[in-house]
């Protein structure tokens, strides 16, 4: 027998905790600890799979394990996310019923990685030709793209998903993937403008600063991350185990896979750069109202947004209020101007993210599917000194 089952894996604890002699918290935790110390990170509680993040690469996620778990009952092999996924896939094909898996846990528990393993397994065991392979590629390549724009380093997790997503994989009658759809919710927009100590903004900002070509860096006015107010508040610019240059290239490759043109890709990175430049616009008081502390900092964001500096300045320093058909221009103080700048930055980033999700969905769109498998990757919960979206 191939795979880790065939290597005389040491039996450790109880594989299904419904078989524990005592069902209580201490017994459950002790069993999980015993298995974890022997590098057995998966344990069942009936149909529920508990996964304990090992924070290291494990050897049992290869093609051998995919072959080993395919078509087998859960009790025939050690607990594994592939066993749960295979059962779900076979239930869909045989019983013709839609399936869904819910992945829950605190930040750093490994939810996003688990979702990747589920989608990778399904794309491996399902059939299809070139057209189907393209759908599989889009499904898998959506991960590095959405992670670049939706994941960040937090105090608990170097690659924390700061949004929730529901991935619906759509299949023909025989189990061949022919389409899909992603729904995202609760993007943590507040991270764009402020981060806690030892955390980072979304990965894409650092990827752009590190990985953009020399030509793009010059055209977009890019500098090192410590130059930008939206990136230098936390004092953290790099992350162990993350290569921003490689991830930038992977992100651009994912854009190609989902069908974004070169112009569309440049439009996206231009807006990301514009947000960085916009964050460097600060304000000073002048006659009880705000004025740009240094108007030259308006030049680059205005240029990248495709508007003149005067228009951008007006939107940052005032708003129009209409009452009973009469419009009044209300001028901001320094605090209000800063809030207007940050609100614009958060809104722009959110719209970029929505556009990318929609582009992925368009690349996978189909109307003629028979069954679905849903993967719900719930937002990881953390406790921050300052919370907000």
């Amino acid at each position: 027998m191939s795979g880790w089952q065939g290597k005389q894996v040491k039996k450790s604890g109880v594989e299904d905790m419904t078989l524990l002699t005592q069902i209580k918290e201490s017994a459950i935790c002790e069993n999980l600890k015993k298995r974890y110390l022997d590098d057995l990170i998966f344990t069942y509680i009936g149909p529920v799979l508990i996964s304990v993040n090992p924070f290291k690469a494990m050897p049992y996620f290869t093609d051998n394990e995919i072959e080993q778990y395919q078509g087998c009952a859960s009790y025939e092999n050690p607990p594994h996310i592939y066993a749960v996924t295979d059962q779900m896939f076979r239930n869909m094909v045989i019983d013709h019923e839609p399936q869904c898996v819910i992945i829950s846990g605190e930040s750093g528990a490994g939810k996003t990685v688990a979702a990747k393993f589920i989608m990778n397994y399904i794309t491996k065991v399902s059939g299809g030709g070139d057209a189907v392979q393209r759908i599989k590629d889009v499904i898998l390549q959506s991960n590095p793209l959405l992670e670049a724009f939706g994941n960040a380093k937090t105090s608990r997790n170097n690659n924390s998903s700061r949004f929730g997503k529901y991935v619906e994989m759509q299949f023909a009658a025989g189990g061949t993937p022919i389409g899909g759809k992603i729904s995202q919710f609760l993007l943590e927009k507040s991270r764009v403008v402020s981060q806690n100590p030892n955390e980072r903004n979304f990965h894409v900002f650092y990827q752009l600063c590190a990985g953009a070509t020399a030509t793009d860096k010059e055209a977009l006015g890019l500098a090192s991350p410590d130059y930008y107010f939206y990136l230098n508040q936390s004092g953290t610019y790099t992350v162990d185990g993350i290569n921003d240059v490689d991830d930038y290239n992977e992100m651009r490759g994912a854009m190609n896979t989902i069908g974004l043109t070169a112009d569309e890709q440049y439009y996206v990175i231009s807006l990301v750069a514009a947000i960085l430049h916009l964050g460097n616009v600060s304000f000073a008081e002048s006659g009880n109202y705000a004025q740009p502390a240094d108007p030259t900092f308006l030049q680059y964001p205005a240029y990248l947004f495709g508007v003149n500096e005067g228009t951008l300045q007006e939107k940052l320093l005032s708003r129009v209020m209409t009452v009973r058909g009469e419009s009044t221009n209300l001028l901001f103080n320094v605090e209000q101007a800063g809030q207007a700048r940050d609100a614009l930055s958060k809104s722009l980033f959110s719209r970029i993210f929505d556009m990318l999700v929609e582009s992925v969905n368009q690349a996978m769109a189909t109307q003629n599917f028979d069954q679905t498998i849903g993967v719900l990757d719930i937002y990881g919960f953390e406790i921050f000194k300052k919370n907000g979206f």
Side-chain angles (χ1 to χ4, degrees), residues 16 43 50 59 75 88 91 110 151 168 173 209 212 252 256 262-263 270 294 301 335:
D16 188 338
T43 308
I50 294 179
Y75 59 81
M88 180 171 58
N91 287 346
N151 287 28
E168 182 181 85
C209 291
R252 292 298 297 266
N256 289 327
D263 287 344
S270 296
D294 185 347
E335 181 180 1

PDB file of all heavy atoms in Angstrom, residues 16 43 50 59 75 88 91 110 151 168 173 209 212 252 256 262-263 270 294 301 335:
ATOM      1  N   ASP A  16     -10.934   8.269  16.366  1.00  0.00           N
ATOM      2  CA  ASP A  16     -12.287   8.828  16.405  1.00  0.00           C
ATOM      3  C   ASP A  16     -12.672   8.996  17.870  1.00  0.00           C
ATOM      4  O   ASP A  16     -12.843   8.011  18.609  1.00  0.00           O
ATOM      5  CB  ASP A  16     -13.287   7.911  15.701  1.00  0.00           C
ATOM      6  CG  ASP A  16     -14.671   8.533  15.557  1.00  0.00           C
ATOM      7  OD1 ASP A  16     -14.985   9.467  16.335  1.00  0.00           O
ATOM      8  OD2 ASP A  16     -15.441   8.099  14.688  1.00  0.00           O
ATOM      9  N   THR A  43      -7.958  14.230  13.500  1.00  0.00           N
ATOM     10  CA  THR A  43      -8.693  13.344  14.396  1.00  0.00           C
ATOM     11  C   THR A  43     -10.181  13.534  14.142  1.00  0.00           C
ATOM     12  O   THR A  43     -10.646  14.662  13.939  1.00  0.00           O
ATOM     13  CB  THR A  43      -8.380  13.662  15.876  1.00  0.00           C
ATOM     14  OG1 THR A  43      -6.962  13.673  16.078  1.00  0.00           O
ATOM     15  CG2 THR A  43      -9.004  12.601  16.793  1.00  0.00           C
ATOM     16  N   ILE A  50     -11.237  17.180  13.112  1.00  0.00           N
ATOM     17  CA  ILE A  50     -10.463  18.193  13.819  1.00  0.00           C
ATOM     18  C   ILE A  50      -9.058  18.208  13.239  1.00  0.00           C
ATOM     19  O   ILE A  50      -8.418  17.169  13.098  1.00  0.00           O
ATOM     20  CB  ILE A  50     -10.405  17.907  15.331  1.00  0.00           C
ATOM     21  CG1 ILE A  50     -11.786  18.044  15.948  1.00  0.00           C
ATOM     22  CG2 ILE A  50      -9.432  18.846  16.020  1.00  0.00           C
ATOM     23  CD1 ILE A  50     -11.823  17.760  17.436  1.00  0.00           C
ATOM     24  N   PRO A  59       4.311  15.338   5.528  1.00  0.00           N
ATOM     25  CA  PRO A  59       4.640  14.514   4.357  1.00  0.00           C
ATOM     26  C   PRO A  59       3.458  13.794   3.735  1.00  0.00           C
ATOM     27  O   PRO A  59       3.644  13.062   2.760  1.00  0.00           O
ATOM     28  CB  PRO A  59       5.633  13.506   4.941  1.00  0.00           C
ATOM     29  CG  PRO A  59       5.193  13.328   6.364  1.00  0.00           C
ATOM     30  CD  PRO A  59       4.674  14.674   6.794  1.00  0.00           C
ATOM     31  N   TYR A  75     -13.039   4.731   7.498  1.00  0.00           N
ATOM     32  CA  TYR A  75     -12.396   3.869   8.488  1.00  0.00           C
ATOM     33  C   TYR A  75     -11.249   3.040   7.913  1.00  0.00           C
ATOM     34  O   TYR A  75     -10.523   2.379   8.651  1.00  0.00           O
ATOM     35  CB  TYR A  75     -13.428   2.936   9.134  1.00  0.00           C
ATOM     36  CG  TYR A  75     -14.153   2.030   8.152  1.00  0.00           C
ATOM     37  CD1 TYR A  75     -13.564   0.858   7.688  1.00  0.00           C
ATOM     38  CD2 TYR A  75     -15.419   2.358   7.701  1.00  0.00           C
ATOM     39  CE1 TYR A  75     -14.229   0.032   6.780  1.00  0.00           C
ATOM     40  CE2 TYR A  75     -16.083   1.552   6.792  1.00  0.00           C
ATOM     41  CZ  TYR A  75     -15.489   0.384   6.340  1.00  0.00           C
ATOM     42  OH  TYR A  75     -16.139  -0.416   5.453  1.00  0.00           O
ATOM     43  N   MET A  88     -17.357  13.404   0.551  1.00  0.00           N
ATOM     44  CA  MET A  88     -18.227  14.477   0.069  1.00  0.00           C
ATOM     45  C   MET A  88     -18.380  14.400  -1.449  1.00  0.00           C
ATOM     46  O   MET A  88     -19.493  14.527  -1.982  1.00  0.00           O
ATOM     47  CB  MET A  88     -17.628  15.819   0.489  1.00  0.00           C
ATOM     48  CG  MET A  88     -18.403  17.037   0.074  1.00  0.00           C
ATOM     49  SD  MET A  88     -17.736  18.544   0.847  1.00  0.00           S
ATOM     50  CE  MET A  88     -16.031  18.516   0.281  1.00  0.00           C
ATOM     51  N   ASN A  91     -20.496  11.325  -2.396  1.00  0.00           N
ATOM     52  CA  ASN A  91     -21.908  11.554  -2.071  1.00  0.00           C
ATOM     53  C   ASN A  91     -22.587  12.412  -3.131  1.00  0.00           C
ATOM     54  O   ASN A  91     -23.742  12.169  -3.499  1.00  0.00           O
ATOM     55  CB  ASN A  91     -22.033  12.229  -0.708  1.00  0.00           C
ATOM     56  CG  ASN A  91     -21.726  11.293   0.447  1.00  0.00           C
ATOM     57  OD1 ASN A  91     -21.661  10.076   0.259  1.00  0.00           O
ATOM     58  ND2 ASN A  91     -21.530  11.843   1.623  1.00  0.00           N
ATOM     59  N   GLY A 110      -5.383  27.195  10.358  1.00  0.00           N
ATOM     60  CA  GLY A 110      -5.107  26.468   9.121  1.00  0.00           C
ATOM     61  C   GLY A 110      -6.309  26.310   8.216  1.00  0.00           C
ATOM     62  O   GLY A 110      -6.335  25.429   7.359  1.00  0.00           O
ATOM     63  N   ASN A 151      -5.235  38.802   2.348  1.00  0.00           N
ATOM     64  CA  ASN A 151      -4.527  38.216   3.482  1.00  0.00           C
ATOM     65  C   ASN A 151      -3.446  39.161   3.984  1.00  0.00           C
ATOM     66  O   ASN A 151      -2.926  39.994   3.235  1.00  0.00           O
ATOM     67  CB  ASN A 151      -3.886  36.876   3.113  1.00  0.00           C
ATOM     68  CG  ASN A 151      -4.908  35.763   2.970  1.00  0.00           C
ATOM     69  OD1 ASN A 151      -6.054  36.007   2.643  1.00  0.00           O
ATOM     70  ND2 ASN A 151      -4.488  34.537   3.216  1.00  0.00           N
ATOM     71  N   GLU A 168     -18.044  27.934  -4.378  1.00  0.00           N
ATOM     72  CA  GLU A 168     -18.973  26.936  -4.906  1.00  0.00           C
ATOM     73  C   GLU A 168     -18.391  26.338  -6.179  1.00  0.00           C
ATOM     74  O   GLU A 168     -18.240  27.023  -7.189  1.00  0.00           O
ATOM     75  CB  GLU A 168     -20.339  27.565  -5.201  1.00  0.00           C
ATOM     76  CG  GLU A 168     -21.374  26.569  -5.699  1.00  0.00           C
ATOM     77  CD  GLU A 168     -22.697  27.225  -5.998  1.00  0.00           C
ATOM     78  OE1 GLU A 168     -22.873  27.745  -7.123  1.00  0.00           O
ATOM     79  OE2 GLU A 168     -23.571  27.229  -5.096  1.00  0.00           O
ATOM     80  N   ALA A 173     -22.984  16.081 -14.435  1.00  0.00           N
ATOM     81  CA  ALA A 173     -23.605  14.929 -13.776  1.00  0.00           C
ATOM     82  C   ALA A 173     -22.586  13.886 -13.333  1.00  0.00           C
ATOM     83  O   ALA A 173     -22.743  13.254 -12.293  1.00  0.00           O
ATOM     84  CB  ALA A 173     -24.638  14.310 -14.705  1.00  0.00           C
ATOM     85  N   CYS A 209       5.747  46.709  -3.977  1.00  0.00           N
ATOM     86  CA  CYS A 209       6.991  47.457  -3.720  1.00  0.00           C
ATOM     87  C   CYS A 209       8.231  46.613  -4.005  1.00  0.00           C
ATOM     88  O   CYS A 209       9.251  47.127  -4.468  1.00  0.00           O
ATOM     89  CB  CYS A 209       7.017  47.938  -2.270  1.00  0.00           C
ATOM     90  SG  CYS A 209       5.812  49.226  -1.887  1.00  0.00           S
ATOM     91  N   ALA A 212       7.579  44.544  -8.365  1.00  0.00           N
ATOM     92  CA  ALA A 212       7.295  45.235  -9.631  1.00  0.00           C
ATOM     93  C   ALA A 212       8.575  45.436 -10.427  1.00  0.00           C
ATOM     94  O   ALA A 212       9.669  45.556  -9.861  1.00  0.00           O
ATOM     95  CB  ALA A 212       6.620  46.572  -9.357  1.00  0.00           C
ATOM     96  N   ARG A 252       0.630  37.883 -10.331  1.00  0.00           N
ATOM     97  CA  ARG A 252       0.466  38.344 -11.719  1.00  0.00           C
ATOM     98  C   ARG A 252       0.164  37.165 -12.643  1.00  0.00           C
ATOM     99  O   ARG A 252      -0.624  37.297 -13.591  1.00  0.00           O
ATOM    100  CB  ARG A 252       1.725  39.080 -12.174  1.00  0.00           C
ATOM    101  CG  ARG A 252       1.990  40.403 -11.479  1.00  0.00           C
ATOM    102  CD  ARG A 252       0.890  41.431 -11.727  1.00  0.00           C
ATOM    103  NE  ARG A 252       0.755  41.803 -13.123  1.00  0.00           N
ATOM    104  CZ  ARG A 252       1.361  42.858 -13.679  1.00  0.00           C
ATOM    105  NH1 ARG A 252       2.118  43.648 -12.933  1.00  0.00           N
ATOM    106  NH2 ARG A 252       1.176  43.140 -14.943  1.00  0.00           N
ATOM    107  N   ASN A 256      -3.202  36.460 -15.126  1.00  0.00           N
ATOM    108  CA  ASN A 256      -3.212  35.938 -16.500  1.00  0.00           C
ATOM    109  C   ASN A 256      -4.175  34.763 -16.627  1.00  0.00           C
ATOM    110  O   ASN A 256      -4.926  34.657 -17.599  1.00  0.00           O
ATOM    111  CB  ASN A 256      -1.802  35.503 -16.912  1.00  0.00           C
ATOM    112  CG  ASN A 256      -0.858  36.673 -17.131  1.00  0.00           C
ATOM    113  OD1 ASN A 256      -1.273  37.741 -17.566  1.00  0.00           O
ATOM    114  ND2 ASN A 256       0.407  36.482 -16.822  1.00  0.00           N
ATOM    115  N   ALA A 262      -3.335  42.733 -20.072  1.00  0.00           N
ATOM    116  CA  ALA A 262      -2.190  43.484 -19.553  1.00  0.00           C
ATOM    117  C   ALA A 262      -2.615  44.878 -19.090  1.00  0.00           C
ATOM    118  O   ALA A 262      -2.154  45.365 -18.048  1.00  0.00           O
ATOM    119  CB  ALA A 262      -1.102  43.586 -20.625  1.00  0.00           C
ATOM    120  N   ASP A 263      -3.519  45.514 -19.845  1.00  0.00           N
ATOM    121  CA  ASP A 263      -4.004  46.841 -19.457  1.00  0.00           C
ATOM    122  C   ASP A 263      -4.804  46.781 -18.158  1.00  0.00           C
ATOM    123  O   ASP A 263      -4.678  47.661 -17.294  1.00  0.00           O
ATOM    124  CB  ASP A 263      -4.872  47.437 -20.573  1.00  0.00           C
ATOM    125  CG  ASP A 263      -4.054  47.887 -21.773  1.00  0.00           C
ATOM    126  OD1 ASP A 263      -2.817  48.029 -21.628  1.00  0.00           O
ATOM    127  OD2 ASP A 263      -4.647  48.081 -22.853  1.00  0.00           O
ATOM    128  N   SER A 270      -1.882  50.059 -10.589  1.00  0.00           N
ATOM    129  CA  SER A 270      -1.820  51.523 -10.516  1.00  0.00           C
ATOM    130  C   SER A 270      -2.686  52.044  -9.373  1.00  0.00           C
ATOM    131  O   SER A 270      -2.293  52.962  -8.647  1.00  0.00           O
ATOM    132  CB  SER A 270      -2.277  52.153 -11.835  1.00  0.00           C
ATOM    133  OG  SER A 270      -1.410  51.826 -12.896  1.00  0.00           O
ATOM    134  N   ASP A 294       1.518  69.475   2.573  1.00  0.00           N
ATOM    135  CA  ASP A 294       2.438  69.633   1.435  1.00  0.00           C
ATOM    136  C   ASP A 294       1.678  69.248   0.175  1.00  0.00           C
ATOM    137  O   ASP A 294       1.498  68.059  -0.114  1.00  0.00           O
ATOM    138  CB  ASP A 294       3.664  68.735   1.620  1.00  0.00           C
ATOM    139  CG  ASP A 294       4.718  68.946   0.522  1.00  0.00           C
ATOM    140  OD1 ASP A 294       4.394  69.596  -0.496  1.00  0.00           O
ATOM    141  OD2 ASP A 294       5.849  68.452   0.692  1.00  0.00           O
ATOM    142  N   PRO A 301      -0.958  60.605  -6.464  1.00  0.00           N
ATOM    143  CA  PRO A 301      -2.272  59.950  -6.451  1.00  0.00           C
ATOM    144  C   PRO A 301      -3.222  60.529  -7.487  1.00  0.00           C
ATOM    145  O   PRO A 301      -3.974  59.785  -8.121  1.00  0.00           O
ATOM    146  CB  PRO A 301      -2.772  60.169  -5.019  1.00  0.00           C
ATOM    147  CG  PRO A 301      -1.935  61.263  -4.456  1.00  0.00           C
ATOM    148  CD  PRO A 301      -0.624  61.178  -5.153  1.00  0.00           C
ATOM    149  N   GLU A 335      -8.951  66.640  11.298  1.00  0.00           N
ATOM    150  CA  GLU A 335      -9.377  65.274  11.608  1.00  0.00           C
ATOM    151  C   GLU A 335     -10.337  64.743  10.551  1.00  0.00           C
ATOM    152  O   GLU A 335     -10.226  63.598  10.094  1.00  0.00           O
ATOM    153  CB  GLU A 335     -10.039  65.228  12.984  1.00  0.00           C
ATOM    154  CG  GLU A 335     -10.484  63.828  13.392  1.00  0.00           C
ATOM    155  CD  GLU A 335     -11.151  63.794  14.757  1.00  0.00           C
ATOM    156  OE1 GLU A 335     -11.283  64.875  15.379  1.00  0.00           O
ATOM    157  OE2 GLU A 335     -11.541  62.697  15.199  1.00  0.00           O
TER     158      GLU A 335
END
